[in-house]
Amino acid sequence: MEKKINVPIKNESVADLKIGDVISLTGNILTARDQAHKRILEEGAPRDIEGAAIFHAGPIIKEEGEDYKMVAIGPTTSMRMNPYQSDVIAMGAKIVIGKGGMDDSVREALVENEAVYVVATGGCAALYVDAVEEIESVDWLDLGMPEAIWNLKVKDFGPLIVAMDSKGNSLYD
């Protein structure tokens, strides 16, 4: 049974989620790849990431005048964020979305900060885009569209599978 979670995480907790659980997210998620993670650590986050869900994704975006339209959004390989992810989790992120797993430093950060790593299925970019209701804003567009931080309003974004939980368990073991 799919568990529905509102993001950013405020009064809810992800501590009861365990590996193998299937979830969907409603609220706002932020995209961030390696260059955005690096800049978050160097300059601070451009917006509050307390309770955030951060999606390792480089979406395909179409400019329409001064507006943007989401064309496709799928996960990118999470291990590229290993050098930065633990510190970003310590800044308050509660859900990390990606593919392929992360290292033991991230596992430890998930436990220390009561957070989870969930996987999105690669190849489902067209499916996931249907859950994006609106692009609310973009930060650091100077990094390029795939590397910018996109603030997305989503409804029932998923299915996502808990791959690393806040108790130190991992589907990759």
Side-chain angles (χ1 to χ4, degrees):
M1 185 170 132
E2 188 173 276
K3 297 179 182 184
K4 296 182 181 291
I5 297 179
N6 294 312
V7 288
I9 304 294
K10 295 200 184 299
N11 298 322
E12 297 177 74
S13 173
V14 296
D16 62 333
L17 294 175
K18 59 187 182 310
I19 57 171
D21 284 348
V22 177
I23 68 169
S24 66
L25 306 176
T26 295
N28 286 72
I29 63 174
L30 304 172
T31 67
R33 295 190 344 169
D34 42 337
Q35 292 305 308
H37 277 75
K38 182 175 185 260
R39 189 179 280 183
I40 287 170
L41 298 183
E42 291 171 351
E43 300 177 12
R47 62 186 55 255
D48 186 9
I49 60 171
E50 184 68 37
I54 296 180
F55 188 14
H56 298 157
I60 298 171
I61 307 284
K62 180 179 177 184
E63 269 188 274
E64 295 183 340
E66 291 187 24
D67 293 325
Y68 299 99
K69 180 181 180 198
M70 182 75 53
V71 176
I73 186 167
T76 194
T77 304
S78 293
M79 72 174 157
R80 292 188 354 235
M81 276 54 77
N82 279 335
Y84 317 107
Q85 196 65 68
S86 297
D87 291 328
V88 173
I89 290 168
M91 294 171 75
K94 290 294 180 185
I95 299 173
V96 177
I97 309 162
K99 72 175 182 182
M102 300 199 79
D103 68 14
D104 284 339
S105 70
V106 174
R107 182 194 310 236
E108 291 167 16
L110 294 171
V111 171
E112 290 170 15
N113 297 281
E114 195 175 278
V116 295
Y117 173 75
V118 300
V119 291
T121 303
C124 289
L127 171 69
Y128 290 127
V129 78
D130 288 342
V132 178
E133 294 185 318
E134 179 184 356
I135 297 173
E136 288 198 350
S137 61
V138 60
D139 294 294
W140 297 340
L141 199 50
D142 63 297
L143 294 175
M145 283 194 179
E147 292 288 343
I149 295 179
W150 295 91
N151 179 15
L152 309 176
K153 182 178 179 185
V154 299
K155 182 171 184 185
D156 297 326
F157 187 87
L160 305 167
I161 301 167
V162 177
M164 298 171 79
D165 65 24
S166 64
K167 306 289 188 274
N169 301 307
S170 173
L171 287 177
Y172 302 102
D173 288 342

